[in-house]
């Protein structure tokens, strides 16, 4: 029997992360995407097929690329998927009976998000295109030509004339916009359906194939707004009808099986970015809207924070085969589960445990579900849930690796606060734990702030426990999972109630767990958690080491350098830069740099456009000039997603730097 060992940072390279489970039309099998890190330390995604009554899986793709987003045609004879094997992400066709994949699109800028038409012969998809480009003369270019083009562009100045000119996910924007296309796979005929100067986000195709549902902001004020409207495009005439009033934002819109209704997630910004998501129903005859979730107090969708999720995940809404119920994931009290609602708003829980349901697929023939589930000690597996409640595990991913590791099961804590709130959190014991010994503790703080820690696998937390630390993580006010009032409670109050919540969590565990050494405390967090780490070390010296990641130090400059700064300050602080700069400075950690006595490690990605690297630079230079103990690590080519989907070697470097710094405890 193998002796178990503590987790290592490099174990990140060994995980198999699965995503996007999808039933075949018959309901007796399913497909999914598996992402691993190959010998070149690059992400590689492959497509798999597995029957429900078999433990054996069939691998459908083998190219050392990213093969994703597989969809089987309604007639069950073929499948479309996305792949970058040609050098650009394109659509490929795979016959179900076996054989080589056939490349369907060869567009210069690629293609994505395909949806089958009901005839199984047409595909509707999205593709970026510049305003004057002609799709008939827009063929895919080679990797060498693409590199040459990029080098030429790098020599030219960037002309900026839009407010939204960059994003953390895509870098600097150009003139390309995502348009909708339809492809006849029999003839190869390709037709462009939209051309407005805006991104068109494909949502669904009506059951009769005559209408296409998409989301966009087609208003002249689009550059200054965060709203997104729902539109219907009539295939034959290409006429576009707007369904909504430009006062909300919508996502994940889908037709009912009979085409008479549309279900969509959305919210009206009542609490800005802290507004809970609602479930809306539109009648396709009158397009009247009703809110099924008006009386609920839960966050729809998946708000769980983790660092091992990769790939596409379905959170709903999905219609039942009879059109009388709708299925979706929701986030509540540290877990995500599968829910059902009927058209009168009656809500039922179909599956909810001490787990993270990260994706699901529904099949009308079998009236059952495949659930993708993560637990605190297992990154991912698939399960079969029948409507009668029967629940079976289908897979055993990562079992060889996990059988070698000593992993920590979290202990749930509930911390009463002085102002009457209850803060949910968790504690991981160190893997070397022995009764009677004292151990250093690290407080982890999540980003968002409107997100949630919970019952999911978290490599970084397990690594710190493996290194001998007690790890404490909690959901202070501002977190999702505890209702609208709670998630809104940190807005216009950063550094006050949220800071007090975290300090009361620390006080609670020091009082109730006598194996924690109160003189050896560390703190770390990223994004909002980085802001809070910076705030903490400027307001207390109780921590002996701190690591701030992709953080915010100065809200004044954040307004102008972040891809979201121009609206985020108003959303979260109720402040605009020119209206009251003093108040923004008062809640900026940089103001309190003279108070910092805690050794601070600053980690930041060079290409982070969400919390730009200048935020880390300002803090480092100020502390260094004050002769404080501080170190700055800058990660090349890394954006805000470094810890979750950054280059594998950089992710490991980041983890090793964190562990190195906390050796000071």
């Amino acid at each position: 029997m193998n002796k178990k060992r503590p987790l290592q940072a490099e174990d990140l390279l060994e995980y198999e992360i699965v995503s996007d489970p999808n039933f075949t039309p018959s309901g007796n099998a399913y497909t999914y995407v598996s992402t691993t890190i190959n010998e070149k330390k690059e992400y590689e995604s492959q497509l798999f097929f597995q029957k429900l009554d078999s433990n054996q899986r069939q691998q459908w793709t083998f190219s050392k690329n990213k093969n994703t987003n597989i969809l089987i045609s309604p007639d069950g004879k073929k499948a479309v998927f996305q792949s970058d094997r040609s050098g650009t992400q394109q659509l490929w066709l795979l016959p179900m009976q076996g054989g080589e994949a056939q490349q369907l699109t060869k567009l210069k800028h690629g293609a994505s998000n395909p949806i089958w038409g009901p005839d199984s012969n047409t595909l509707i998809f999205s593709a970026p295109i510049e305003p004057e480009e002609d799709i008939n003369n827009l063929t895919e270019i080679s990797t060498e030509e693409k590199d040459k083009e990029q080098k030429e562009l790098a020599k030219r100045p960037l002309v900026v004339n839009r407010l939204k000119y960059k994003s953390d996910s895509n870098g600097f924007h150009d003139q390309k916009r995502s348009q909708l296309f339809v492809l006849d796979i029999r003839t190869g005929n390709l037709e462009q359906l939209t051309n407005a100067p805006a991104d068109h986000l494909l949502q669904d195709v009506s059951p009769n194939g005559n209408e296409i549902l998409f989301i966009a902001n087609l208003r002249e004020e689009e550059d200054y707004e965060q709203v997104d409207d729902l539109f219907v495009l009539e295939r034959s005439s290409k006429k576009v009808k707007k369904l909504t009033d430009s006062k909300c934002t919508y996502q994940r819109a889908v037709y009912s099986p009979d085409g008479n209704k549309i279900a969509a997630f959305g919210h009206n910004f009542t609490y800005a970015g802290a507004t809970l998501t609602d479930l809306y129903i539109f009648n396709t005859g009158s397009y009247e809207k009703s809110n099924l979730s008006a009386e609920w107090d839960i966050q729809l969708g998946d708000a769980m924070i983790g660092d091992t999720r990769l790939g596409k995940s379905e959170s709903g809404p999905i219609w039942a085969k009879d059109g009388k119920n709708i299925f979706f994931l929701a986030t509540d009290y540290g877990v995500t589960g599968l829910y059902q609602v009927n058209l009168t708003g009656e809500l039922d829980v179909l599956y909810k445990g001490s787990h993270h349901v990260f994706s699901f697929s529904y099949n009308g023939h079998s009236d059952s579900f495949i659930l993708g589930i993560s637990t605190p000690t297992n990154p991912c597996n698939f399960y079969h849930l029948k409507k009668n409640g029967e629940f079976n595990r289908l897979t055993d991913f990562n079992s060889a690796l996990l059988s070698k590791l000593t992993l920590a099961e979290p202990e749930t804590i509930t911390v009463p606060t002085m102002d009457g709130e209850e803060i949910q959190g968790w504690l991981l014991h160190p893997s070397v734990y022995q009764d009677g010994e004292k151990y250093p503790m690290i407080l982890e703080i999540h980003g968002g702030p409107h997100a949630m820690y919970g019952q999911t696998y978290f490599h970084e937390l397990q690594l710190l426990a493996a290194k001998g630390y007690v790890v404490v993580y909690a959901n202070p006010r501002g977190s999702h999972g505890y209702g609208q009032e709670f998630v809104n409670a940190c807005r216009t109050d950063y550094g006050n109630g949220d800071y007090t919540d975290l300090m009361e969590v620390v006080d609670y565990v020091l009082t109730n767990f006598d194996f924690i050494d109160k003189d050896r405390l560390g703190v770390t967090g990223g994004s909002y958690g980085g802001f809070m780490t910076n705030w903490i070390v400027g307001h207390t010296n109780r921590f002996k080491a701190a690591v701030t990641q992709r953080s915010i130090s100065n809200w004044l400059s954040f307004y102008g350098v972040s891809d979201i700064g121009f609206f985020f300050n108003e959303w979260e602080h109720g402040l605009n830069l020119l209206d009251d700069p003093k108040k923004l400075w008062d809640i900026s950690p940089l103001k309190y740099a003279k108070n910092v006595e805690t050794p601070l490690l600053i980690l930041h990605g060079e290409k982070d456009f969400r919390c730009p690297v200048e935020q880390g630079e300002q803090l480092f230079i100020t502390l260094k000039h004050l002769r404080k103990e501080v170190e700055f690590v800058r990660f090349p080519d890394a954006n805000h997603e470094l810890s979750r989907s950054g280059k594998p070697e950089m992710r490991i470097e980041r983890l090793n730097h964190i562990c190195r710094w906390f050796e000071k405890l």
Side-chain angles (χ1 to χ4, degrees):
M1 184 176 181
N2 292 332
K3 183 179 179 181
K4 291 195 173 186
R5 61 169 175 83
L7 181 76
Q8 300 172 357
E10 290 73 16
D11 288 322
L12 183 73
L13 302 174
E14 304 303 319
Y15 294 129
E16 179 179 6
I17 304 300
V18 294
S19 60
D20 199 17
N22 273 294
F23 271 110
T24 58
S26 63
N28 61 8
Y30 63 102
T31 61
Y32 62 90
V33 177
S34 168
T35 301
T36 56
I37 298 171
N38 61 30
E39 63 277 3
K40 294 181 180 180
K41 294 186 172 60
E42 296 174 342
Y43 296 110
E44 177 183 311
S45 298
Q46 304 296 353
L47 307 179
F48 286 85
F49 169 89
Q50 188 163 338
K51 293 183 177 179
L52 292 180
D53 59 1
S54 172
N55 293 325
Q56 299 298 315
R57 61 178 181 170
Q58 298 176 29
Q59 186 169 341
W60 276 6
T61 59
F62 295 87
S63 66
K64 302 292 184 179
N65 302 98
K66 293 179 181 178
N67 304 283
T68 62
N69 203 10
I70 182 169
L71 288 173
I72 297 175
S73 59
D75 63 10
K77 296 180 179 179
K78 46 193 172 289
V80 64
F81 66 97
Q82 293 172 201
S83 179
D84 61 356
R85 63 180 70 187
S86 66
T88 304
Q89 183 173 262
Q90 304 285 359
L91 303 186
W92 294 71
L93 188 69
L94 195 64
M96 291 292 287
Q97 69 271 21
E100 292 294 324
Q102 171 192 349
Q103 186 171 351
L104 292 176
T105 61
K106 296 182 180 181
L107 295 172
K108 180 178 180 181
H109 310 299
S112 62
N113 303 320
I115 296 178
W116 284 103
D119 62 0
S120 296
N121 289 312
T122 55
L123 283 168
I124 296 87
F125 64 92
S126 301
I129 186 171
E130 294 193 9
E132 302 304 321
E133 289 181 326
D134 180 0
I135 60 168
N136 296 311
N137 299 311
L138 196 62
T139 57
E140 187 176 21
I141 60 177
S142 67
T143 302
E144 292 75 17
E145 290 173 315
K146 190 185 304 181
D147 290 342
K148 182 180 178 181
E149 192 175 87
Q150 289 300 316
K151 288 178 181 178
E152 288 298 319
L153 285 173
K155 297 176 183 178
R156 303 175 191 172
L158 177 69
V159 179
V160 177
N161 51 33
R162 299 182 68 233
L163 185 61
K164 301 174 185 175
Y165 76 94
K166 62 181 179 179
S167 63
D168 186 66
S169 57
N170 295 318
F172 292 120
H173 295 173
D174 52 27
Q175 297 303 309
K176 290 192 290 292
R177 297 289 182 269
S178 180
Q179 304 293 349
L180 305 185
F181 297 82
V182 59
L183 173 68
D184 188 321
I185 63 173
R186 296 165 300 184
T187 65
N189 182 59
L190 180 64
E191 181 183 6
Q192 184 172 340
L193 299 174
T194 61
N195 57 19
D199 287 316
H200 299 68
L201 307 179
L202 178 61
Q203 300 295 295
D204 201 9
V205 179
S206 63
N208 61 14
N210 294 334
E211 294 181 338
I212 296 171
L213 188 63
F214 69 91
I215 288 172
N217 186 328
L218 303 184
R219 288 158 52 89
E220 290 184 2
E221 291 294 296
E222 177 271 336
D223 200 27
Y224 300 88
E225 297 177 333
Q226 306 309 314
V227 301
D228 284 301
D229 285 302
L230 275 175
F231 295 86
V232 166
L233 182 148
E234 186 179 58
R235 279 279 308 277
S236 58
S237 67
K238 293 188 183 179
K239 289 182 179 179
V240 171
K241 181 177 179 59
K242 183 179 175 183
L243 310 187
T244 52
D245 58 7
S246 301
K247 295 180 180 179
C248 300
T249 187
Y250 297 93
Q251 57 178 318
R252 300 182 181 276
V254 288
Y255 281 99
S256 61
D258 60 10
N260 292 330
K261 294 180 176 61
I262 296 168
F265 286 160
H267 71 72
N268 59 7
F269 300 99
T270 300
Y271 302 93
T275 309
L276 293 185
T277 300
D278 280 312
L279 176 57
Y280 294 104
I281 301 296
F282 296 83
N283 185 302
T284 56
S286 63
Y287 295 113
E288 291 181 356
K289 179 178 73 173
S290 61
N291 184 354
L292 281 186
S293 57
E295 302 303 318
W296 307 346
D297 200 23
I298 59 174
Q299 171 65 0
L300 308 188
D302 181 7
M304 187 80 75
I305 288 285
D307 64 354
T308 55
R309 292 299 329 134
L310 295 166
K312 177 183 173 183
S313 292
E314 175 63 71
S315 62
I318 296 294
W319 289 89
K321 63 178 178 181
D322 58 8
K324 295 180 179 179
N325 290 288
I326 300 170
F327 312 116
F328 56 90
L329 301 185
T331 296
D332 186 41
Y333 215 74
V335 302
T336 57
L338 178 66
Y339 292 72
Q340 169 185 285
V341 63
N342 63 23
L343 296 181
T344 64
E346 295 178 19
L347 184 66
D348 291 308
V349 178
L350 295 183
Y351 178 82
K352 183 181 177 184
S354 295
H355 310 133
H356 171 203
V357 181
F358 59 80
S359 191
F360 77 99
S361 179
Y362 166 74
N363 181 264
H365 289 293
S366 61
D367 209 23
S368 65
F369 305 87
I370 293 173
L371 305 183
I373 294 178
S374 174
T375 75
T377 56
N378 197 311
C380 49
N381 270 301
F382 292 132
Y383 296 77
H384 189 208
L385 174 67
K386 297 182 180 179
K387 287 298 290 292
N388 63 9
E390 185 180 337
F391 186 67
N392 298 306
R393 180 167 165 169
L394 299 173
T395 60
D396 195 18
F397 298 116
N398 300 297
S399 57
L401 173 64
L402 297 177
S403 66
K404 302 174 186 177
L405 303 177
T406 301
L407 297 174
E409 285 281 359
E411 181 175 345
T412 303
I413 58 175
T414 302
V415 181
T417 66
M418 289 187 294
D419 61 354
E421 295 285 358
E422 282 192 343
I423 306 301
Q424 185 185 29
W426 294 268
L427 181 145
L428 296 180
H429 289 245
S431 61
V432 295
Y433 179 81
Q434 293 182 354
D435 287 335
E437 294 291 322
K438 293 275 191 180
Y439 296 93
M441 187 202 88
I442 296 173
L443 174 68
E444 284 263 5
I445 308 169
H446 68 62
H450 311 306
M452 183 187 75
Y453 277 136
Q455 300 282 12
T456 194
Y457 192 82
F458 213 123
H459 183 75
E460 179 180 327
L461 305 185
Q462 289 287 352
L463 176 64
L464 291 173
K467 293 293 184 181
Y469 302 105
V470 177
V471 183
V472 174
Y473 50 109
N475 289 324
R477 67 194 68 195
S479 303
H480 270 308
Y482 310 93
Q484 181 63 82
E485 183 178 343
F486 190 87
V487 74
N488 189 55
C490 75
R491 287 180 63 234
T492 71
D493 196 43
Y494 275 35
N496 189 20
D498 48 0
Y499 167 74
T500 301
D501 287 348
L502 291 166
M503 293 306 98
E504 291 188 357
V505 167
V506 173
D507 293 338
Y508 177 90
V509 296
L510 292 179
T511 300
N512 291 276
F513 298 91
D514 60 6
F515 51 82
I516 300 175
D517 187 340
K518 65 180 179 61
D519 295 321
R520 300 169 67 198
L521 304 180
V523 60
T524 186
S527 196
Y528 163 83
F531 156 80
M532 185 53 67
T533 299
N534 297 340
W535 186 264
I536 285 170
V537 298
H539 287 77
T540 178
N541 294 326
R542 72 189 303 182
F543 295 92
K544 302 308 175 188
V547 180
T548 184
Q549 308 173 48
R550 56 191 186 280
S551 71
I552 300 158
S553 65
N554 184 352
W555 290 110
L556 291 164
S557 63
F558 180 83
Y559 168 87
V561 296
S562 169
D563 64 340
I564 63 171
F566 60 92
F567 67 85
F568 192 85
N569 276 356
E570 184 174 0
W571 276 14
E572 291 297 305
H573 307 310
L575 299 169
N576 281 315
L577 176 67
L578 298 181
D579 293 341
D580 203 333
K582 182 181 182 303
K583 286 187 178 178
L584 281 175
W585 179 241
D586 287 343
I587 57 173
S588 295
L590 194 63
K591 177 180 178 178
Y592 308 97
K594 286 185 178 180
N595 301 336
V596 176
E597 299 298 334
T598 306
L600 182 66
L601 175 64
I602 303 171
L603 305 180
H604 225 114
E606 295 282 6
K607 293 187 176 179
D608 189 333
F609 283 0
R610 183 59 41 87
C611 298
V613 70
E614 63 87 31
Q615 293 286 307
E617 287 176 323
Q618 290 188 64
L619 186 59
F620 172 74
I621 290 297
T622 302
L623 292 175
K624 196 67 177 176
H625 192 220
L626 291 169
R627 298 179 183 274
K628 306 288 186 178
E629 186 175 354
V630 62
E631 189 175 309
F632 192 19
V633 180
R634 304 168 65 129
F635 294 87
D637 295 323
N639 67 4
H640 201 63
E641 295 299 305
L642 168 63
S643 66
R644 297 179 279 262
S645 59
K647 293 180 180 179
E649 288 182 295
M650 289 294 100
R651 293 175 69 185
I652 292 170
E653 284 275 356
R654 168 188 164 273
L655 291 167
N656 285 332
H657 278 295
I658 293 171
C659 294
R660 170 182 64 84
W661 196 257
F662 282 131
E663 290 175 1
K664 295 177 180 290
L665 296 180

